[in-house]
Amino acid sequence: MPDARGLVVLVEDDTGMRDAAERVLAATGFEVLGFDSAESALQDRATLDARCLVLDVHLPGISGFELYERLLAVGRKPAVVFISARDDTHTKVRSTQFGALAFLVKPFSGHTLCAVVAKAFV
């Protein structure tokens, strides 16, 4: 059971994907806050206090990688899962360099997402 004091922040610009991921994470017991852009996530204080981030790598404007770099720059280092529709070596390597819990290629199962996010709560 996820720690109720923890928060999962999900940043995904595709509304259908974001809604589906939010539903499956919430159904598993996670507290989830979804955003459609990195900019909107950065405007919400909750992002700074999140226990885990699920970040789409390729977002309009600020990328998921850049969002995570900005959090690191202010002394935050939440667990992170990067997601992308592109399965390329550069993106995988970069997510590994950030110490990501996982790099998931869309489409992925809800079970897989929840299992990876749960690692942030142990």
Side-chain angles (χ1 to χ4, degrees):
M1 180 59 109
D3 181 349
R5 294 167 295 159
L7 172 67
V8 177
V9 167
L10 169 68
V11 183
E12 167 60 67
D13 60 318
D14 179 286
T15 304
M17 181 66 156
R18 186 178 60 253
D19 290 348
E22 282 184 72
R23 278 193 309 272
V24 73
L25 288 166
T28 306
F30 295 104
E31 180 185 352
V32 185
L33 186 57
F35 297 97
D36 63 356
S37 70
E39 291 84 353
S40 60
L42 286 169
Q43 290 177 3
D44 194 309
R45 171 75 188 169
T47 301
L48 293 174
D49 298 326
R51 180 94 170 255
C52 182
L53 305 175
V54 178
L55 304 177
D56 187 1
V57 172
H58 304 285
L59 296 164
I62 298 171
S63 73
F65 288 144
E66 187 177 344
L67 168 58
Y68 197 66
E69 287 172 330
R70 288 184 183 199
L71 292 174
L72 292 174
V74 296
R76 302 291 194 213
K77 191 174 181 181
V80 64
V81 177
F82 289 108
I83 60 176
S84 178
R86 300 179 198 163
D87 187 10
D88 63 87
T89 303
H90 171 74
T91 305
K92 286 180 189 175
V93 168
R94 191 146 184 224
S95 68
T96 301
Q97 291 170 338
F98 281 118
L101 293 173
F103 171 72
L104 301 179
V105 178
K106 301 174 197 176
F108 46 82
S109 74
H111 174 77
T112 298
L113 177 62
C114 290
V116 170
V117 168
K119 293 177 184 179
F121 293 83
V122 292

